[in-house]
Amino acid sequence: LVYNGTFIPRSGTFVFDSSIAKTITTAGTVPFNNLVMHTSYVVTIGASANRALSVGNKLEFIQGRINTRGATTRFVAVLGSMVRSGTGHVDGDLRFQIPTGPGKYVYPIGNGTNYTPATVAITGTGGVAGLYEIISNTRTISLTGSTLNTAQNIERQWDVFVPAGSNFDLQARTANLTFEFLNPADIRGGANPSQFETRRNTGGTWFFTTTGVRTSTTTQSTGYTNTVFNATSSYVVGPPGTLAFY
């Protein structure tokens, strides 16, 4: 699919259901009203910098992945809603328009064929609507200084930030983040998910978080306020280096 002119999405739905992999070569941002992924193949955004797909109403995954990875900035921006009625995800950079007020938003993201989503749950009123970005990556950040067990942990990180040009502001609201990992594929050293905690790295400095609900495949951290949630950060998961029992 080569996009070099003006594509007017109107109120229609565009479905990727091809039996072959596709690369979208864009001249900027390709706008869709509704976009449905219903293919067993990967749709890749072309390699040029600052290329994107924008979905004004609904992005639905029935099957298939959208690949935004590469050395240059490429992303999917969703201004309406996201639905994962089957399988599939964004492999790379996903930006979602979080509205004002409370809400719960699942980011259908992953790395390669691995589906490792993040969930944002916001309570309270007010705030400023805007795009909020989350990327799931194989962990590259060092755990040194995090106080997590460096031999037993999750081999994954989630990078979150407010992208350039977005007006998003949590303000007086409160946010929780839940990160989902693969069990056992992401677990190193026989780590026990019932002991997992989250750590936040912002600007090279590690910070403790407040642990919420744990399951065998998810760890929640709670109580983020405006300054913390709006900051560009990387989150990692694992048991603490020293366990305390009371």
Side-chain angles (χ1 to χ4, degrees), residues 169-210:
D169 195 340
L170 190 67
Q171 293 191 339
R173 297 174 293 172
T174 302
N176 299 338
L177 288 167
T178 301
F179 302 110
E180 182 172 330
F181 48 86
L182 301 178
N183 185 353
D186 284 341
I187 297 179
R188 297 180 65 243
N192 183 351
S194 68
Q195 300 170 344
F196 283 177
E197 299 177 0
T198 302
R199 294 290 185 272
R200 171 176 62 92
N201 188 292
T202 302
T205 300
W206 286 105
F207 296 90
F208 285 92
T209 64
T210 301

Side-chain angles (χ1 to χ4, degrees), residues 48-62:
S48 298
N50 299 313
R51 303 304 194 231
L53 302 183
S54 175
V55 183
N57 187 45
K58 184 173 75 172
L59 171 63
E60 180 176 4
F61 284 99
I62 299 173

Side-chain angles (χ1 to χ4, degrees), residues 27-164:
T29 299
V30 182
F32 296 94
N33 179 54
N34 298 307
L35 179 61
V36 177
M37 288 293 294
H38 194 184
T39 172
S40 58
Y41 291 83
V42 179
V43 174
T44 300
I45 299 177
S48 298
N50 299 313
R51 303 304 194 231
L53 302 183
S54 175
V55 183
N57 187 45
K58 184 173 75 172
L59 171 63
E60 180 176 4
F61 284 99
I62 299 173
Q63 185 182 20
R65 289 178 282 133
I66 302 175
N67 178 18
T68 70
R69 295 190 183 274
T72 56
T73 301
R74 292 175 284 170
F75 59 90
V76 174
V78 180
L79 307 179
S81 63
M82 299 180 290
V83 177
R84 188 175 186 260
S85 57
T87 60
H89 56 266
V90 174
D91 180 8
D93 182 333
L94 176 58
R95 305 177 182 187
F96 176 68
Q97 177 89 355
I98 295 180
T100 59
K104 183 177 181 179
Y105 315 102
V106 178
Y107 282 65
I109 54 177
N111 189 328
T113 59
N114 299 317
Y115 179 60
T116 50
T119 299
V120 175
I122 295 177
T123 57
T125 60
V128 178
L131 291 170
Y132 193 79
E133 179 170 343
I134 306 182
I135 308 171
S136 172
N137 286 311
T138 301
R139 185 170 56 77
T140 57
I141 192 169
S142 171
L143 295 182
T144 301
S146 69
T147 74
L148 292 182
N149 190 320
T150 57
Q152 295 182 327
N153 47 68
I154 293 298
E155 195 63 27
R156 193 164 298 283
Q157 71 186 52
W158 291 263
D159 301 319
V160 307
F161 53 97
V162 179

